Amino acid sequence: MLGAIVGDIVGSPYEFTPNNIKTENFPLFKAESHATDDTVMTLAVAEALMQSWGGTDEEIRAALIASMRAWGKAYPYAGYGKRFILWLNAEHPRPYHSYGNGSAMRVSSAAWLASSLEEACRLAELSALVTHNHPEGVKGAVATAAAIFMARQGESGATVRAWVKRECGYDLSRRLEDIRPGYVHVESCQETVPEAITAALSGKGFEDVIRKAVSLGGDSDTLTAIAGSIAEGWYPVPAEMEREVLARLDERQKACLASFRRFCAGIAG
């Protein structure tokens, strides 16, 4: 889950740079690097899944809604989309048929908690459906969680690529060089998740994945959060990057991240 937060913070200053930066040579952390809604909702989903661990699907959905709304209201200026803001403040929140990439950027905890690929996909689907119940929104979350789970199980990039293509239909045949020149800011799962997975598959280490993801442009914080969440399954997060990120989180955020690590260690045995 830390990989998603690293990606969010590293990508945050570059999201609205004109035409993005389109290079892998850039400062990883700047004065304005900060946690956005991607980090807030990643932590909210993690908290909900911990609180509802072992529960029914309905109990998990209820926990997700409660946690996401609590975190959203605690961080009201994190950069949410307009429809999500309405959901946060609705008297009776209902999913709004979104295929935005928010379902994929917040899903990483599902893959770290799951003990099987099937469970990772189930938790991912549940986490998406509370807001992003469009098939593409669900698919983006499932593809991301599956890729993370397979990566942390030591599966090869070729195995991940084949599964995602077969089960989700994403085109992962393009090289980064093919994507980068014409890629623009877009916030749909179907135009963000394949690019993020391609960046994760193309990197030679955690930092390399992060740099490649940011270099694509587009919705830089979210695309890089997704790529970073997958990369963490294969590669350790460098200690210096972790220190920089923790320095940009507040006490509540750091406490949730620490709780999640302890929880994962506990269920692993």
Side-chain angles (χ1 to χ4, degrees):
M1 187 173 74
L2 175 63
I5 298 172
V6 174
D8 174 40
I9 291 175
V10 172
S12 63
Y14 303 107
E15 180 177 8
F16 295 110
T17 301
N19 298 315
N20 303 116
I21 56 172
K22 302 295 184 178
T23 176
E24 296 176 30
N25 183 20
F26 60 88
L28 284 172
F29 296 98
K30 302 171 70 174
E32 60 268 37
S33 301
H34 66 285
T36 77
D37 58 318
D38 298 38
T39 291
V40 173
M41 286 300 121
T42 293
L43 293 169
V45 169
E47 182 179 86
L49 294 181
M50 287 189 288
Q51 291 174 344
S52 60
W53 187 247
T56 66
D57 286 4
E58 191 52 44
E59 289 168 338
I60 294 170
R61 286 192 195 96
L64 286 161
I65 292 169
S67 181
M68 289 166 63
R69 280 161 64 86
W71 279 79
K73 291 174 182 178
Y75 299 90
Y77 306 112
Y80 312 107
K82 292 179 180 179
R83 295 172 74 193
F84 188 75
I85 292 173
L86 292 175
W87 182 87
L88 284 177
N89 294 290
E91 183 177 358
H92 302 291
R94 301 184 186 282
Y96 46 92
H97 207 56
S98 175
Y99 51 79
N101 52 27
S103 60
M105 58 82 166
R106 70 193 188 207
V107 76
S108 53
S109 59
W112 287 96
L113 291 169
S115 58
S116 68
L117 179 58
E118 292 73 22
E119 185 178 24
C121 293
R122 167 181 162 261
L123 293 174
E125 182 174 354
L126 290 171
S127 75
L129 285 172
V130 294
T131 53
H132 292 52
N133 60 334
H134 188 285
E136 292 290 348
V138 174
K139 184 168 73 176
V142 168
T144 302
I148 298 168
F149 183 85
M150 287 187 281
R152 59 178 284 252
Q153 294 299 309
E155 298 288 357
S156 68
T159 299
V160 172
R161 188 188 305 272
W163 190 96
V164 171
K165 180 180 179 181
R166 182 180 69 251
E167 300 297 330
C168 301
Y170 287 150
D171 178 9
L172 301 181
S173 65
R174 297 169 299 165
R175 301 174 304 161
L176 297 181
E177 293 79 3
D178 301 326
I179 298 169
R180 189 179 291 116
Y183 190 63
V184 297
H185 189 103
V186 62
E187 298 181 354
S188 69
C189 275
Q190 57 268 42
E191 295 176 279
T192 303
V193 177
E195 289 75 11
I197 295 175
T198 298
L201 292 172
S202 301
K204 305 302 182 186
F206 185 83
E207 181 179 331
D208 191 38
V209 169
I210 295 296
R211 290 188 176 279
K212 283 176 164 50
V214 172
S215 79
L216 291 178
D219 189 4
S220 300
D221 58 339
T222 298
L223 191 153
T224 311
I226 297 167
S229 70
I230 299 168
E232 187 187 9
W234 278 308
Y235 312 111
V237 177
E240 180 57 32
M241 294 182 76
E242 180 172 352
R243 283 193 293 270
E244 288 280 356
V245 163
L246 291 178
R248 289 166 169 80
L249 300 182
D250 66 24
E251 292 307 313
R252 177 177 180 173
Q253 293 165 342
K254 286 188 284 191
C256 183
L257 180 58
S259 294
F260 183 75
R261 285 171 159 170
R262 291 193 297 269
F263 193 88
C264 287
I267 63 175

PDB file of all heavy atoms in Angstrom, residues 166-187:
ATOM      1  N   ARG A 166      -6.273 -11.332 -20.607  1.00  0.00           N
ATOM      2  CA  ARG A 166      -7.320 -12.348 -20.741  1.00  0.00           C
ATOM      3  C   ARG A 166      -8.577 -11.972 -19.951  1.00  0.00           C
ATOM      4  O   ARG A 166      -9.697 -12.071 -20.455  1.00  0.00           O
ATOM      5  CB  ARG A 166      -6.787 -13.692 -20.255  1.00  0.00           C
ATOM      6  CG  ARG A 166      -7.791 -14.839 -20.405  1.00  0.00           C
ATOM      7  CD  ARG A 166      -7.207 -16.149 -19.909  1.00  0.00           C
ATOM      8  NE  ARG A 166      -7.011 -16.169 -18.454  1.00  0.00           N
ATOM      9  CZ  ARG A 166      -5.818 -16.128 -17.866  1.00  0.00           C
ATOM     10  NH1 ARG A 166      -4.709 -16.096 -18.583  1.00  0.00           N
ATOM     11  NH2 ARG A 166      -5.719 -16.128 -16.549  1.00  0.00           N
ATOM     12  N   GLU A 167      -8.408 -11.547 -18.709  1.00  0.00           N
ATOM     13  CA  GLU A 167      -9.553 -11.323 -17.831  1.00  0.00           C
ATOM     14  C   GLU A 167     -10.151  -9.927 -17.943  1.00  0.00           C
ATOM     15  O   GLU A 167     -11.342  -9.747 -17.670  1.00  0.00           O
ATOM     16  CB  GLU A 167      -9.127 -11.568 -16.375  1.00  0.00           C
ATOM     17  CG  GLU A 167      -8.616 -12.976 -16.088  1.00  0.00           C
ATOM     18  CD  GLU A 167      -9.675 -14.036 -16.313  1.00  0.00           C
ATOM     19  OE1 GLU A 167     -10.876 -13.744 -16.129  1.00  0.00           O
ATOM     20  OE2 GLU A 167      -9.299 -15.178 -16.672  1.00  0.00           O
ATOM     21  N   CYS A 168      -9.342  -8.958 -18.339  1.00  0.00           N
ATOM     22  CA  CYS A 168      -9.817  -7.565 -18.358  1.00  0.00           C
ATOM     23  C   CYS A 168      -9.829  -6.949 -19.747  1.00  0.00           C
ATOM     24  O   CYS A 168     -10.434  -5.887 -19.945  1.00  0.00           O
ATOM     25  CB  CYS A 168      -8.954  -6.709 -17.421  1.00  0.00           C
ATOM     26  SG  CYS A 168      -8.954  -7.282 -15.708  1.00  0.00           S
ATOM     27  N   GLY A 169      -9.155  -7.580 -20.686  1.00  0.00           N
ATOM     28  CA  GLY A 169      -9.190  -7.090 -22.062  1.00  0.00           C
ATOM     29  C   GLY A 169      -8.350  -5.854 -22.325  1.00  0.00           C
ATOM     30  O   GLY A 169      -8.496  -5.213 -23.373  1.00  0.00           O
ATOM     31  N   TYR A 170      -7.453  -5.500 -21.412  1.00  0.00           N
ATOM     32  CA  TYR A 170      -6.622  -4.314 -21.618  1.00  0.00           C
ATOM     33  C   TYR A 170      -5.516  -4.602 -22.626  1.00  0.00           C
ATOM     34  O   TYR A 170      -4.937  -5.690 -22.637  1.00  0.00           O
ATOM     35  CB  TYR A 170      -5.977  -3.876 -20.307  1.00  0.00           C
ATOM     36  CG  TYR A 170      -6.902  -3.216 -19.309  1.00  0.00           C
ATOM     37  CD1 TYR A 170      -6.657  -3.333 -17.948  1.00  0.00           C
ATOM     38  CD2 TYR A 170      -8.005  -2.465 -19.707  1.00  0.00           C
ATOM     39  CE1 TYR A 170      -7.472  -2.722 -17.006  1.00  0.00           C
ATOM     40  CE2 TYR A 170      -8.828  -1.848 -18.778  1.00  0.00           C
ATOM     41  CZ  TYR A 170      -8.563  -1.984 -17.428  1.00  0.00           C
ATOM     42  OH  TYR A 170      -9.366  -1.374 -16.500  1.00  0.00           O
ATOM     43  N   ASP A 171      -5.214  -3.608 -23.428  1.00  0.00           N
ATOM     44  CA  ASP A 171      -4.116  -3.715 -24.381  1.00  0.00           C
ATOM     45  C   ASP A 171      -2.822  -3.342 -23.664  1.00  0.00           C
ATOM     46  O   ASP A 171      -2.587  -2.172 -23.353  1.00  0.00           O
ATOM     47  CB  ASP A 171      -4.357  -2.768 -25.562  1.00  0.00           C
ATOM     48  CG  ASP A 171      -3.216  -2.800 -26.576  1.00  0.00           C
ATOM     49  OD1 ASP A 171      -2.326  -3.683 -26.457  1.00  0.00           O
ATOM     50  OD2 ASP A 171      -3.203  -1.943 -27.483  1.00  0.00           O
ATOM     51  N   LEU A 172      -1.997  -4.328 -23.402  1.00  0.00           N
ATOM     52  CA  LEU A 172      -0.716  -4.088 -22.744  1.00  0.00           C
ATOM     53  C   LEU A 172       0.448  -4.332 -23.703  1.00  0.00           C
ATOM     54  O   LEU A 172       1.579  -4.549 -23.271  1.00  0.00           O
ATOM     55  CB  LEU A 172      -0.577  -4.987 -21.512  1.00  0.00           C
ATOM     56  CG  LEU A 172      -1.660  -4.826 -20.437  1.00  0.00           C
ATOM     57  CD1 LEU A 172      -1.384  -5.771 -19.267  1.00  0.00           C
ATOM     58  CD2 LEU A 172      -1.750  -3.388 -19.949  1.00  0.00           C
ATOM     59  N   SER A 173       0.168  -4.252 -24.989  1.00  0.00           N
ATOM     60  CA  SER A 173       1.208  -4.510 -25.990  1.00  0.00           C
ATOM     61  C   SER A 173       2.009  -3.259 -26.331  1.00  0.00           C
ATOM     62  O   SER A 173       3.086  -3.344 -26.927  1.00  0.00           O
ATOM     63  CB  SER A 173       0.575  -5.062 -27.274  1.00  0.00           C
ATOM     64  OG  SER A 173      -0.263  -4.076 -27.885  1.00  0.00           O
ATOM     65  N   ARG A 174       1.504  -2.081 -25.982  1.00  0.00           N
ATOM     66  CA  ARG A 174       2.180  -0.836 -26.348  1.00  0.00           C
ATOM     67  C   ARG A 174       3.427  -0.611 -25.485  1.00  0.00           C
ATOM     68  O   ARG A 174       3.447  -0.936 -24.309  1.00  0.00           O
ATOM     69  CB  ARG A 174       1.236   0.352 -26.174  1.00  0.00           C
ATOM     70  CG  ARG A 174       0.007   0.325 -27.074  1.00  0.00           C
ATOM     71  CD  ARG A 174      -0.989   1.383 -26.650  1.00  0.00           C
ATOM     72  NE  ARG A 174      -1.450   1.138 -25.277  1.00  0.00           N
ATOM     73  CZ  ARG A 174      -2.084   2.046 -24.541  1.00  0.00           C
ATOM     74  NH1 ARG A 174      -2.309   3.262 -25.028  1.00  0.00           N
ATOM     75  NH2 ARG A 174      -2.472   1.748 -23.322  1.00  0.00           N
ATOM     76  N   ARG A 175       4.431  -0.037 -26.080  1.00  0.00           N
ATOM     77  CA  ARG A 175       5.610   0.388 -25.323  1.00  0.00           C
ATOM     78  C   ARG A 175       5.345   1.775 -24.747  1.00  0.00           C
ATOM     79  O   ARG A 175       4.489   2.519 -25.227  1.00  0.00           O
ATOM     80  CB  ARG A 175       6.824   0.435 -26.237  1.00  0.00           C
ATOM     81  CG  ARG A 175       7.176  -0.881 -26.921  1.00  0.00           C
ATOM     82  CD  ARG A 175       8.324  -0.651 -27.911  1.00  0.00           C
ATOM     83  NE  ARG A 175       7.957   0.384 -28.870  1.00  0.00           N
ATOM     84  CZ  ARG A 175       8.831   1.059 -29.615  1.00  0.00           C
ATOM     85  NH1 ARG A 175      10.126   0.797 -29.506  1.00  0.00           N
ATOM     86  NH2 ARG A 175       8.415   1.975 -30.471  1.00  0.00           N
ATOM     87  N   LEU A 176       6.099   2.121 -23.710  1.00  0.00           N
ATOM     88  CA  LEU A 176       5.955   3.455 -23.136  1.00  0.00           C
ATOM     89  C   LEU A 176       6.231   4.527 -24.190  1.00  0.00           C
ATOM     90  O   LEU A 176       5.596   5.591 -24.196  1.00  0.00           O
ATOM     91  CB  LEU A 176       6.907   3.632 -21.953  1.00  0.00           C
ATOM     92  CG  LEU A 176       6.681   2.715 -20.753  1.00  0.00           C
ATOM     93  CD1 LEU A 176       7.693   3.035 -19.650  1.00  0.00           C
ATOM     94  CD2 LEU A 176       5.265   2.846 -20.214  1.00  0.00           C
ATOM     95  N   GLU A 177       7.176   4.249 -25.075  1.00  0.00           N
ATOM     96  CA  GLU A 177       7.507   5.197 -26.139  1.00  0.00           C
ATOM     97  C   GLU A 177       6.329   5.441 -27.076  1.00  0.00           C
ATOM     98  O   GLU A 177       6.222   6.491 -27.703  1.00  0.00           O
ATOM     99  CB  GLU A 177       8.711   4.704 -26.941  1.00  0.00           C
ATOM    100  CG  GLU A 177      10.011   4.667 -26.169  1.00  0.00           C
ATOM    101  CD  GLU A 177      10.144   3.448 -25.258  1.00  0.00           C
ATOM    102  OE1 GLU A 177       9.235   2.588 -25.259  1.00  0.00           O
ATOM    103  OE2 GLU A 177      11.157   3.351 -24.546  1.00  0.00           O
ATOM    104  N   ASP A 178       5.449   4.429 -27.187  1.00  0.00           N
ATOM    105  CA  ASP A 178       4.267   4.580 -28.032  1.00  0.00           C
ATOM    106  C   ASP A 178       3.191   5.397 -27.328  1.00  0.00           C
ATOM    107  O   ASP A 178       2.438   6.135 -27.968  1.00  0.00           O
ATOM    108  CB  ASP A 178       3.688   3.201 -28.385  1.00  0.00           C
ATOM    109  CG  ASP A 178       4.679   2.309 -29.114  1.00  0.00           C
ATOM    110  OD1 ASP A 178       5.490   2.855 -29.887  1.00  0.00           O
ATOM    111  OD2 ASP A 178       4.647   1.087 -28.896  1.00  0.00           O
ATOM    112  N   ILE A 179       3.107   5.246 -26.022  1.00  0.00           N
ATOM    113  CA  ILE A 179       2.054   5.910 -25.252  1.00  0.00           C
ATOM    114  C   ILE A 179       2.380   7.369 -24.998  1.00  0.00           C
ATOM    115  O   ILE A 179       1.532   8.261 -25.152  1.00  0.00           O
ATOM    116  CB  ILE A 179       1.851   5.198 -23.897  1.00  0.00           C
ATOM    117  CG1 ILE A 179       1.405   3.751 -24.113  1.00  0.00           C
ATOM    118  CG2 ILE A 179       0.843   5.949 -23.029  1.00  0.00           C
ATOM    119  CD1 ILE A 179       1.447   2.905 -22.845  1.00  0.00           C
ATOM    120  N   ARG A 180       3.612   7.645 -24.607  1.00  0.00           N
ATOM    121  CA  ARG A 180       4.006   8.933 -24.046  1.00  0.00           C
ATOM    122  C   ARG A 180       3.695  10.151 -24.928  1.00  0.00           C
ATOM    123  O   ARG A 180       3.120  11.139 -24.435  1.00  0.00           O
ATOM    124  CB  ARG A 180       5.501   8.908 -23.692  1.00  0.00           C
ATOM    125  CG  ARG A 180       5.973  10.109 -22.904  1.00  0.00           C
ATOM    126  CD  ARG A 180       7.455   9.992 -22.589  1.00  0.00           C
ATOM    127  NE  ARG A 180       7.747   8.939 -21.635  1.00  0.00           N
ATOM    128  CZ  ARG A 180       8.477   7.860 -21.902  1.00  0.00           C
ATOM    129  NH1 ARG A 180       8.987   7.690 -23.121  1.00  0.00           N
ATOM    130  NH2 ARG A 180       8.694   6.945 -20.973  1.00  0.00           N
ATOM    131  N   PRO A 181       4.021  10.160 -26.220  1.00  0.00           N
ATOM    132  CA  PRO A 181       3.891  11.410 -26.985  1.00  0.00           C
ATOM    133  C   PRO A 181       2.473  11.973 -27.037  1.00  0.00           C
ATOM    134  O   PRO A 181       2.268  13.186 -26.922  1.00  0.00           O
ATOM    135  CB  PRO A 181       4.378  11.014 -28.387  1.00  0.00           C
ATOM    136  CG  PRO A 181       5.265   9.843 -28.166  1.00  0.00           C
ATOM    137  CD  PRO A 181       4.640   9.095 -27.028  1.00  0.00           C
ATOM    138  N   GLY A 182       1.476  11.118 -27.215  1.00  0.00           N
ATOM    139  CA  GLY A 182       0.124  11.620 -27.393  1.00  0.00           C
ATOM    140  C   GLY A 182      -0.773  11.486 -26.185  1.00  0.00           C
ATOM    141  O   GLY A 182      -1.976  11.797 -26.262  1.00  0.00           O
ATOM    142  N   TYR A 183      -0.212  11.043 -25.068  1.00  0.00           N
ATOM    143  CA  TYR A 183      -1.044  10.785 -23.891  1.00  0.00           C
ATOM    144  C   TYR A 183      -1.338  12.088 -23.166  1.00  0.00           C
ATOM    145  O   TYR A 183      -0.445  12.882 -22.885  1.00  0.00           O
ATOM    146  CB  TYR A 183      -0.330   9.806 -22.960  1.00  0.00           C
ATOM    147  CG  TYR A 183      -1.206   9.285 -21.842  1.00  0.00           C
ATOM    148  CD1 TYR A 183      -2.337   8.527 -22.114  1.00  0.00           C
ATOM    149  CD2 TYR A 183      -0.900   9.554 -20.521  1.00  0.00           C
ATOM    150  CE1 TYR A 183      -3.142   8.043 -21.090  1.00  0.00           C
ATOM    151  CE2 TYR A 183      -1.687   9.078 -19.485  1.00  0.00           C
ATOM    152  CZ  TYR A 183      -2.808   8.326 -19.781  1.00  0.00           C
ATOM    153  OH  TYR A 183      -3.607   7.860 -18.761  1.00  0.00           O
ATOM    154  N   VAL A 184      -2.613  12.308 -22.859  1.00  0.00           N
ATOM    155  CA  VAL A 184      -3.044  13.553 -22.226  1.00  0.00           C
ATOM    156  C   VAL A 184      -3.806  13.237 -20.940  1.00  0.00           C
ATOM    157  O   VAL A 184      -4.077  12.084 -20.626  1.00  0.00           O
ATOM    158  CB  VAL A 184      -3.937  14.382 -23.172  1.00  0.00           C
ATOM    159  CG1 VAL A 184      -3.154  14.807 -24.405  1.00  0.00           C
ATOM    160  CG2 VAL A 184      -5.179  13.589 -23.583  1.00  0.00           C
ATOM    161  N   HIS A 185      -4.156  14.294 -20.216  1.00  0.00           N
ATOM    162  CA  HIS A 185      -4.856  14.127 -18.941  1.00  0.00           C
ATOM    163  C   HIS A 185      -6.233  13.514 -19.180  1.00  0.00           C
ATOM    164  O   HIS A 185      -7.080  14.083 -19.864  1.00  0.00           O
ATOM    165  CB  HIS A 185      -5.015  15.483 -18.258  1.00  0.00           C
ATOM    166  CG  HIS A 185      -5.522  15.382 -16.851  1.00  0.00           C
ATOM    167  ND1 HIS A 185      -4.706  15.520 -15.757  1.00  0.00           N
ATOM    168  CD2 HIS A 185      -6.762  15.130 -16.358  1.00  0.00           C
ATOM    169  CE1 HIS A 185      -5.416  15.382 -14.657  1.00  0.00           C
ATOM    170  NE2 HIS A 185      -6.669  15.145 -14.998  1.00  0.00           N
ATOM    171  N   VAL A 186      -6.443  12.346 -18.608  1.00  0.00           N
ATOM    172  CA  VAL A 186      -7.725  11.654 -18.708  1.00  0.00           C
ATOM    173  C   VAL A 186      -7.920  10.887 -17.409  1.00  0.00           C
ATOM    174  O   VAL A 186      -6.948  10.404 -16.818  1.00  0.00           O
ATOM    175  CB  VAL A 186      -7.766  10.719 -19.933  1.00  0.00           C
ATOM    176  CG1 VAL A 186      -6.715   9.631 -19.827  1.00  0.00           C
ATOM    177  CG2 VAL A 186      -9.146  10.141 -20.149  1.00  0.00           C
ATOM    178  N   GLU A 187      -9.151  10.803 -16.934  1.00  0.00           N
ATOM    179  CA  GLU A 187      -9.387  10.264 -15.595  1.00  0.00           C
ATOM    180  C   GLU A 187     -10.270   9.022 -15.600  1.00  0.00           C
ATOM    181  O   GLU A 187     -10.885   8.701 -14.588  1.00  0.00           O
ATOM    182  CB  GLU A 187      -9.986  11.350 -14.700  1.00  0.00           C
ATOM    183  CG  GLU A 187      -9.045  12.533 -14.517  1.00  0.00           C
ATOM    184  CD  GLU A 187      -9.590  13.611 -13.616  1.00  0.00           C
ATOM    185  OE1 GLU A 187     -10.773  13.505 -13.197  1.00  0.00           O
ATOM    186  OE2 GLU A 187      -8.854  14.571 -13.316  1.00  0.00           O
TER     187      GLU A 187
END
